């Protein structure tokens, strides 16, 4: 009897093979939210919001946040949390200002400020990685102590009188754009390259995925976490120095508010990837959302108090979405 050829076996379609509007919306919802905000505020106040001057203002406002948020991104990649990035930026900026007022040269004052920020990161890394303290508790303690140091450095006053050449760092406008934007791009690109293409970056992601699996794979988990906090302190100091230069002054609370905004930006960015992991590209999208929302609300006349409410709601929504994505993959 002639054998009949069996029909080819067709593998059933899997969820990953299907592309639906809902899936695209779920994956790109954060970026879509940024586009919607731009369209909304552009429609409400087209002349004010969409002007070149205002776009330049938005970029200048988010440049410092992008730097500090990139510092928070590094820590959150390894699955930790740093409440002290804002006060670290404040202390570094205040240190640079105080030293320059006392007669130090600009390069030496900047180096000293970077060292101060790095030391804060080192302390955080030791407390979390080697003393096994909760990152939340350790950095909360650091936040309090470093905040006190900032008041000591500034003597509770606002510092003025820095060299005009130092102010160029935060106020210069090459090509018509604020110089802090260029610094932010450089910092974010460097952090992205480190996370994406270096051994330590891959180890950070491995630790963030599962510290135990990473340890069994030969990764020095303690050292990886220590280095993440150290880098975060250094990068935060860069943001603080640029902020002081932009404001031409330094106070004991200059950059403190950036911590919550950085957290919101990173959590928003974590919703961009399916894995729900922290990433620089997503963080920049989150920074853009916060900057556009803040600027747009100011233009339409919404109170700063309500803006704080919106920021809190954004954090809640971002954390919820990130958690849902992590559970679904």
């Amino acid at each position: 009897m002639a054998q009949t050829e069996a029909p080819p076996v067709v593998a059933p379609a899997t969820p990953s093979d299907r592309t639906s509007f809902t899936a695209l919306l779920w994956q790109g919802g954060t970026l879509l939210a940024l586009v919607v905000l731009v369209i909304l505020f552009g429609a409400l106040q087209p002349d004010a919001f969409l002007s070149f001057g205002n776009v330049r203002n938005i970029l200048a406002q988010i440049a410092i946040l992008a730097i500090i948020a990139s510092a928070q991104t590094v820590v959150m990649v390894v699955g930790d949390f740093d409440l002290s990035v804002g006060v670290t930026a404040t202390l570094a900026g205040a240190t640079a200002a105080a030293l320059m007022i006392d007669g130090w040269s600009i390069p030496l004052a900047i180096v000293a400020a970077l060292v101060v920020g790095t030391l804060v990161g080192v302390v955080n890394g030791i407390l979390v990685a080697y003393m096994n303290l909760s990152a939340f508790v350790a950095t909360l303690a650091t936040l309090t102590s470093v905040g006190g140091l900032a008041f000591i450095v500034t003597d509770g006053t606002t510092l003025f009188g820095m060299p005009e050449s130092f102010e160029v760092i935060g106020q210069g406008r090459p090509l018509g754009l604020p110089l802090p934007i260029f610094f932010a791009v450089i910092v974010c690109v460097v952090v992205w390259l480190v996370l994406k293409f270096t051994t330590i970056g891959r180890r950070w992601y491995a630790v963030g995925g599962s510290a135990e699996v990473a340890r069994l794979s030969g990764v020095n988990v303690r050292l990886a976490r220590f280095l993440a906090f150290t880098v975060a302190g250094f990068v935060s100091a860069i943001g603080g120095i640029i902020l002081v230069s932009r404001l031409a002054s330094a106070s004991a609370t200059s950059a403190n508010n950036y911590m919550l905004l950085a957290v919101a930006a990173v959590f928003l960015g974590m919703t961009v990837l399916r894995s729900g992991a922290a990433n620089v590209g997503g963080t920049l999208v989150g920074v853009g959302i916060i900057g556009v929302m803040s600027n747009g609300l100011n233009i339409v006349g919404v109170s700063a108090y309500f803006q704080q409410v919106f920021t809190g709601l954004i954090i809640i929504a971002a954390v919820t979405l990130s958690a849902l994505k992590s559970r679904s993959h």
Side-chain angles (χ1 to χ4, degrees), residues 256-283:
N256 290 8
N257 290 337
Y258 281 94
M259 186 274 289
L260 284 177
L261 297 176
V263 169
V266 177
F267 273 121
L268 282 169
M270 290 170 67
T271 66
V272 173
L273 292 183
R274 292 185 178 183
S275 62
N279 63 98
V280 175
T283 295

Side-chain angles (χ1 to χ4, degrees), residues 76-108:
M76 294 180 70
V77 161
V78 298
D80 286 317
F81 197 81
D82 191 349
L83 294 174
S84 67
V85 290
V87 293
T88 300
T90 295
L91 179 61
T95 299
L99 292 177
M100 282 183 284
I101 292 172
D102 284 342
W104 285 42
S105 67
I106 295 174
L108 283 178

Side-chain angles (χ1 to χ4, degrees), residues 85-248:
V85 290
V87 293
T88 300
T90 295
L91 179 61
T95 299
L99 292 177
M100 282 183 284
I101 292 172
D102 284 342
W104 285 42
S105 67
I106 295 174
L108 283 178
I110 291 176
V111 169
L114 292 174
V115 169
V116 167
T118 304
L119 287 175
V120 174
V122 166
V123 171
N124 283 332
I126 292 174
L127 293 175
V128 175
Y130 292 102
M131 298 185 67
N132 295 321
L133 294 182
S134 161
F136 182 86
V137 173
T139 57
L140 178 61
T142 307
L143 180 154
T144 305
S145 299
V146 172
L149 289 174
F151 275 98
I152 293 173
V153 170
T154 61
D155 198 23
T157 63
T158 300
L159 302 180
F160 297 97
M162 289 159 282
E164 292 184 4
S165 53
F166 170 72
E167 296 174 5
V168 172
I169 295 174
Q171 300 178 19
R173 289 193 175 186
L175 304 178
L177 296 174
L179 191 53
I181 296 173
F182 296 93
F183 286 119
V185 170
I186 292 171
V187 170
C188 292
V189 168
V190 170
V191 172
W192 175 75
L193 290 173
V194 170
L195 290 174
K196 187 76 173 177
F197 299 106
T198 67
T199 300
I200 186 60
R202 289 189 289 271
R203 288 177 178 174
W204 280 339
Y205 272 113
V207 172
S210 172
E212 181 61 20
V213 172
R215 185 186 65 81
L216 294 174
S217 301
V219 175
N220 188 331
V221 174
R222 288 185 172 183
L223 179 60
R225 296 175 75 193
F226 170 80
L227 290 176
F229 279 101
T230 302
V231 169
F234 176 80
V235 175
S236 296
I238 295 175
I241 293 167
I242 297 173
L243 177 63
V244 166
S245 174
R246 178 170 175 253
L247 299 176

